[in-house]
């Protein structure tokens, strides 16, 4: 997969992609991430990428010319062109999976009040927001989207499978423990040390259900629950009363 990112602050994105897993994915040739400074496509002495909005008002708007020329130069015709904007549809795992199937992505990081509407109409295929809070620009949102997409590319994960994530994806994780068995007086639940794999699996499932019930009841409503799951939840509801 090739991912182009158009931004006026490429420096913000250098760090996240030159560390750890995403770095290794690039070294292994799973993905090529290219950061392009939008300003290099701006004309004139001042290399201006933004201008005041027609009709007046506060703030600035990205001019169309640098964006059109940049997208054309990066062969944006071949790519799915995505604008990161607070007005976009909210990013989630299903959209990450959808984007992971693309050959080529081109992400445009918004800034200021936004982009000239003609960019949206003629260049952009999708508009994505990463959630209901205000960032100062699309760069960190692009990093989030890229991280979520790249880890889904075939060959990225060695052991754990992402198929399992989608299977149990509607529940939160159970609590995890590692050595020592007792730390500062806090013991690991006995069942985890029992060696009884059936009992351990049951405990974990029940703990997952409990966490989800306590913290994300919205997810529980979507989950596929077995009769055993329902029994576990019934016990929790009774304890709560
Ligand atoms: C001060 C301007 N705001 C008026 C209410 C609108 C606004 C414009 C641009 C607010 C934030 C931004 C910059 N944010 C993004 O470009 C952005 C973003 C976000 O702020 N939250 C969640 N996802 C995204 S994706 C891009």
């Amino acid at each position: 997969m090739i991912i182009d990112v158009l931004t006026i602050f490429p420096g913000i994105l250098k760090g996240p992609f030159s560390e750890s897993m995403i770095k290794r994915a690039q070294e292994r040739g799973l993905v090529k991430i290219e950061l392009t400074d939008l300003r290099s496509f701006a004309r004139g002495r001042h290399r201006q990428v933004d201008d005041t909005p027609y009709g007046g008002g506060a703030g600035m708007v990205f001019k169309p010319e640098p964006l059109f020329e940049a997208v054309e130069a990066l062969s944006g015709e071949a790519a799915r062109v995505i604008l990161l904007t607070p007005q976009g549809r909210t990013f989630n795992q299903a959209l990450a999976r959808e984007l992971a199937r693309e050959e080529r992505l081109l992400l445009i990081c918004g800034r200021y009040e936004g982009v000239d509407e003609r960019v949206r109409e003629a260049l952009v295929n999708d508009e994505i927001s990463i959630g209901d809070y205000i960032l100062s620009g699309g760069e960190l949102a692009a990093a989030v989207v890229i991280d979520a997409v790249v880890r889904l590319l075939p060959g990225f994960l060695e052991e754990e499978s992402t198929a399992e994530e989608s299977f149990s994806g509607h529940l939160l994780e159970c609590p995890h423990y590692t050595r020592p068995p007792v730390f500062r007086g806090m013991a690991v639940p006995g069942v985890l040390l029992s060696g009884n794999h059936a009992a351990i699996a049951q405990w974990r499932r029940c703990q997952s259900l409990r966490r989800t019930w306590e913290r994300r009841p919205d997810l529980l409503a979507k989950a596929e629950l077995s009769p055993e799951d329902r029994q576990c939840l019934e016990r929790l509801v009774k304890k709560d009363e």
Side-chain angles (χ1 to χ4, degrees), residues 6-9 36-51 60-67 69-70 112:
L6 260 178
T7 165
I8 56 168
F9 295 117
T36 300
D37 189 345
L38 181 63
R39 216 171 283 283
S40 66
F41 289 91
R43 301 276 172 85
R45 206 154 49 84
H46 298 293
R47 300 240 153 216
Q48 201 178 339
V49 292
D50 59 335
D51 207 342
M60 300 292 270
V61 174
F62 271 127
K63 292 162 66 59
E65 302 91 326
L67 278 167
E69 281 171 32
Y112 318 120

Side-chain angles (χ1 to χ4, degrees), residues 15 23 36 38 62 66 74 99 102 104 114-115 119 132 138-139 141 169 172 184 197 214 228 233 241:
K23 181 185 182 182
T36 300
L38 181 63
F62 271 127
L74 297 172
L99 297 182
E102 298 283 345
R104 217 174 158 137
V115 303
V119 170
D132 293 341
E139 285 76 13
L172 299 183
R184 299 193 178 183
H197 296 294
E214 286 169 350
E228 293 76 35
L233 282 167
E241 282 165 356

Side-chain angles (χ1 to χ4, degrees), residues 83-88 108-114 128-139 141-142:
L83 177 67
L84 283 313
T85 163
Q87 298 177 40
I108 302 172
C109 304
R111 281 265 154 183
Y112 318 120
E113 293 314 298
I128 298 179
S129 157
I130 60 163
D132 293 341
Y133 37 82
I134 301 175
L135 301 171
S136 44
E139 285 76 13

